[in-house]
């Protein structure tokens, strides 16, 4: 007798890989999408879902999160963060190396993978961190989406703020006779020297809005220019994390190699420096919030394909930590529970299309990081799916959040597109408010960049 599990989703509005919208059915078998048709009448599934009035999207892949485990579990851990992911429609995530200890060796990477296999409700991948020291595991550690480099806004061994040390990382494995762009390097692009200089200039000011002046647009632009220069020198696959400024967007619009990609966060699309007045230190993040003009230019760059996808940079801190006086307050905001509703609300307001949201939050991320069989609703792809309701609006409420930190910069915002059912590898992990916490995701695979 077969133990195969199948799921039939009927009457959904489905976004196909080409962006076309159809009303139809999707059949999954075990962890794979088996059929996508206007009507599937010959199946006898294990479970059937009537999705009349709902929209079916591929699961969100969040390519930049900080889930704090190991070492900082009082802020978040892999279980609580993955619960928040499941509720928000995020079926896969890529997590950053700034934990304790940092993820800079195969041993530390293996430890995270083992923890996730026991705790994570959704699929997972982990970056390895670049350091100024020449570590032997930087190119060999696997599986990983790439190397994360903090050019600024970091302390300790993960800070790589000298050009010579940064160049050594870009140069590793370089062969001028090869067209191989090597292991992806993802950079947090802020110039630490400029930040240090401006900290002295603004010393003694405790208004958190000065954060955006200290770590200003120029600090971001200088670092992005340097990363781009080294990427071109060594023909190295480059990804610009959480791009935040109009100047960076304009730079990439005119000078973006085919092997380079960039991302933007919902915070940098929807929030700006006016948020400090209401949120105080809750609005503090790295890179900081920018001006309304930056919002507008980033939106246009995203629509034009200069920016390739969306990441939350989910970086939770407790309310007690955030309540400290600036500059002692830590930088970072949570985001995995609200990113999809925020973007779908924007689509309903005609700031973008549903097909663009799918490209920016699912398909584009899978393509950019070489994640096979993810990011599309098509036979043969993994059954990571999200049913959302685009007809109902409800506010972001603190008491409903599952992230351990328990707050959101978007509290009170009235959003649509909240997930109704979330499916990870063919298994329902979230259904109309109920989490199935026994479900476990799988480690992501990464194909070499082509």
């Amino acid at each position: 007798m077969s133990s195969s599990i199948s799921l039939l989703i009927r009457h959904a509005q489905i976004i196909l890989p080409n962006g076309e919208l159809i009303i139809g059915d999707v059949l999954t078998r075990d962890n794979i999408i088996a059929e996508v048709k206007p009507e599937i009448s010959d199946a006898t599934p294990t479970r059937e879902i009537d999705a009349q009035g709902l929209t079916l999207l591929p699961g969100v892949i969040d390519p930049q999160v900080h889930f704090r485990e190991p070492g900082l579990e009082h802020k978040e851990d892999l279980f609580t963060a993955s619960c928040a992911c499941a509720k928000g429609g995020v079926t896969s995530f890529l997590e950053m190396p700034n934990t304790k200890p940092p993820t800079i060796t195969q041993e530390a990477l293996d430890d995270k993978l083992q923890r996730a296999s026991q705790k994570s409700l959704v699929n997972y991948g982990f970056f390895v961190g670049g350091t100024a020291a020449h570590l032997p595991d930087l190119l060999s550690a696997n599986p990983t989406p790439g190397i994360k480099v903090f050019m600024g806004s970091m302390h300790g061994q993960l800070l790589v703020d000298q050009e010579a040390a940064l160049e050594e990382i870009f140069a590793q494995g370089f062969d001028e006779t090869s067209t191989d762009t090597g292991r992806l390097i993802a950079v947090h692009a802020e110039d630490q020297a400029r930040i240090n200089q401006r900290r002295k200039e603004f010393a003694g000011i405790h208004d958190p809005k000065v954060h955006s002046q200290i770590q200003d647009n120029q600090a971001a632009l200088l670092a992005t220019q340097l990363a781009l220069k080294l990427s071109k020198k060594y023909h190295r696959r480059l990804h610009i994390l959480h791009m935040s400024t109009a100047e960076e967007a304009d730079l990439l619009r005119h000078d973006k190699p085919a092997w380079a990609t960039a991302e933007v966060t919902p915070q940098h699309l929807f929030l700006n420096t006016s948020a400090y007045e209401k949120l105080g230190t809750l609005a503090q993040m790295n890179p900081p919030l920018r001006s309304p003009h930056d919002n507008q230019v980033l939106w246009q760059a995203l629509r034009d394909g200069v920016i390739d996808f969306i990441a939350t940079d989910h970086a939770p801190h407790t309310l007690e930590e955030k309540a400290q006086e600036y500059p002692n307050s830590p930088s970072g905001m949570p985001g995995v529970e609200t990113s999809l509703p925020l973007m779908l609300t924007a689509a309903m307001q005609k700031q973008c299309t549903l097909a663009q949201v799918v490209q920016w939050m699912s398909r584009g991320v899978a393509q950019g990081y070489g994640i096979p069989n993810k990011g599309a609703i098509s036979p043969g792809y993994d059954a990571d799916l999200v049913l959302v309701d685009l007809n109902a609006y409800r506010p972001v409420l603190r008491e409903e959040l599952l992230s351990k930190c328990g707050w959101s910069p978007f509290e009170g915002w009235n959003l649509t597109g909240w997930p109704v059912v979330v499916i990870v590898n063919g298994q329902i992990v979230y259904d109309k408010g109920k989490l199935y916490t026994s479900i476990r995701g799988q480690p992501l695979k990464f194909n070499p960049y082509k």
Side-chain angles (χ1 to χ4, degrees):
M1 180 181 293
S2 173
S3 60
S4 176
I5 298 173
S6 58
L7 177 65
L8 179 59
I9 302 168
R10 289 195 180 278
H11 313 125
Q13 178 177 252
I14 304 167
I15 300 187
L16 299 178
N18 63 3
E20 180 185 357
L21 286 171
I22 67 165
I23 303 296
D25 300 348
V26 173
L27 177 68
T28 72
R29 292 196 183 95
D30 294 326
N31 63 328
I32 302 296
I33 297 172
E35 295 182 65
V36 181
K37 293 180 179 178
E39 184 178 8
I40 299 173
S41 57
D42 56 350
T44 54
T46 308
R47 179 167 176 179
E48 187 171 315
I49 296 173
D50 184 356
Q52 186 79 40
L54 302 178
T55 300
L56 187 66
L57 310 172
V60 171
I61 306 170
D62 192 332
Q64 189 191 178
V65 299
H66 302 264
F67 284 171
R68 307 304 192 196
E69 184 176 349
L72 298 164
E73 288 91 339
H74 70 281
K75 302 174 189 280
E76 190 80 276
D77 60 61
L78 288 167
F79 176 74
T80 59
S82 68
C83 288
C85 283
K87 181 172 177 282
V90 175
T91 56
S92 301
F93 63 79
L94 304 182
E95 206 261 354
M96 292 297 159
N98 55 324
T99 45
K100 294 185 177 181
T103 318
I104 57 177
T105 64
Q106 183 69 56
E107 181 182 11
L109 177 61
D110 289 342
D111 176 65
K112 277 191 175 179
L113 289 164
Q114 177 63 24
R115 290 168 182 267
S117 71
Q118 297 173 349
K119 296 185 176 184
S120 182
L121 280 62
V122 301
N123 304 312
Y124 46 88
F126 299 99
F127 275 86
V128 62
T131 75
H134 188 82
L135 295 174
D137 292 350
L138 199 60
L139 294 182
S140 62
N142 269 305
T144 181
I147 301 165
K148 166 68 179 287
V149 175
F150 290 90
M151 299 173 70
S153 298
M154 178 52 61
H155 303 285
Q157 59 187 325
L158 284 176
L159 176 63
V160 186
D161 61 345
Q162 300 298 312
E163 183 171 345
L166 188 67
E167 183 157 6
E168 283 189 12
I169 293 174
F170 273 84
Q172 284 194 55
F174 173 66
D175 179 355
E176 62 183 9
T177 66
S178 173
T179 58
D180 183 9
T181 57
R183 173 159 285 183
L184 178 146
I185 297 176
V187 295
H188 178 126
E190 289 189 279
D191 185 88
Q192 190 62 42
R194 182 170 177 85
I195 293 171
N196 291 342
Q197 169 199 330
R198 291 179 68 79
R199 279 178 180 161
K200 294 177 183 177
E201 294 174 14
F202 291 91
I205 300 176
H206 299 290
D207 186 339
K209 70 182 180 184
V210 78
H211 189 64
S212 293
Q213 296 172 264
I214 294 172
Q215 296 178 213
D216 65 353
N217 289 38
Q218 185 68 9
L221 178 62
L222 287 170
T224 295
Q225 287 173 327
L226 175 56
L228 191 61
K229 181 183 80 171
L230 293 175
S231 171
K232 290 191 291 184
K233 181 176 181 178
Y234 295 104
H235 202 318
R236 194 61 181 268
R237 173 79 175 91
L238 174 68
H239 180 66
I240 306 296
L241 297 159
H242 45 43
M243 205 167 71
S244 63
T245 71
E247 290 87 343
E248 291 169 286
D250 290 340
L251 171 66
L252 287 193
R253 185 178 291 277
H254 297 102
D255 186 13
K256 183 185 178 187
W259 60 84
T261 51
E263 70 186 30
V264 66
T265 71
Q267 300 92 295
H268 290 117
L269 294 175
F270 295 102
L271 300 176
N272 52 56
T273 50
S274 66
Y276 288 114
E277 184 175 349
K278 178 181 178 181
L279 298 177
T281 54
L282 295 184
Q284 180 187 334
M285 67 176 295
N286 297 331
L289 299 179
R290 307 298 186 186
S291 71
H293 172 69
D294 291 295
N295 293 149
Q296 295 167 7
V297 174
L298 291 170
W299 261 112
Q300 193 59 52
L302 183 61
R303 287 189 287 259
D304 293 344
V306 175
I307 298 173
D308 300 272
F309 34 84
I310 301 285
T312 65
D313 192 22
H314 179 95
H317 301 282
T318 67
L319 286 166
E320 292 75 16
E321 290 168 331
K322 278 289 196 178
Q324 296 176 86
E325 185 179 53
Y326 183 84
N328 297 319
S329 47
S331 295
M333 306 179 188
V336 293
E337 289 173 81
T338 53
S339 60
L340 182 58
L342 280 165
M343 295 307 299
L344 291 175
T345 301
M348 294 302 97
Q349 295 170 347
K350 307 302 183 185
Q351 288 179 272
C352 57
T353 67
L354 289 176
Q356 285 175 316
V357 173
V358 168
Q359 176 65 25
W360 299 334
M361 303 191 78
S362 302
R363 189 168 178 80
V365 183
Q367 292 168 333
Y369 280 101
I371 306 172
N373 304 318
K374 300 284 187 188
I377 302 176
S378 184
Y381 276 69
D382 293 346
D384 297 334
L385 301 164
V386 184
L387 274 170
V388 300
D389 187 349
L390 294 174
N391 300 307
Y393 284 75
R394 58 184 178 83
V396 179
L397 299 175
R398 180 174 292 191
E399 57 268 25
E400 294 181 357
L401 296 171
L402 297 184
S403 175
K404 187 182 286 190
C405 72
W407 62 275
S408 166
F410 300 104
E411 284 174 52
W413 286 43
N414 201 38
L415 305 178
T416 192
W418 292 98
V420 177
V421 178
V422 179
I423 298 160
V424 175
N425 299 315
Q427 300 183 86
I428 295 174
V429 69
Y430 179 82
D431 186 4
K432 302 180 183 68
K434 178 177 174 55
L435 270 179
Y436 291 88
T437 57
S438 63
I439 300 299
R440 291 293 176 267
Q442 296 294 319
L444 295 170
K445 299 175 182 178
F446 306 98
N447 291 331
Y449 178 74
K450 301 295 185 183

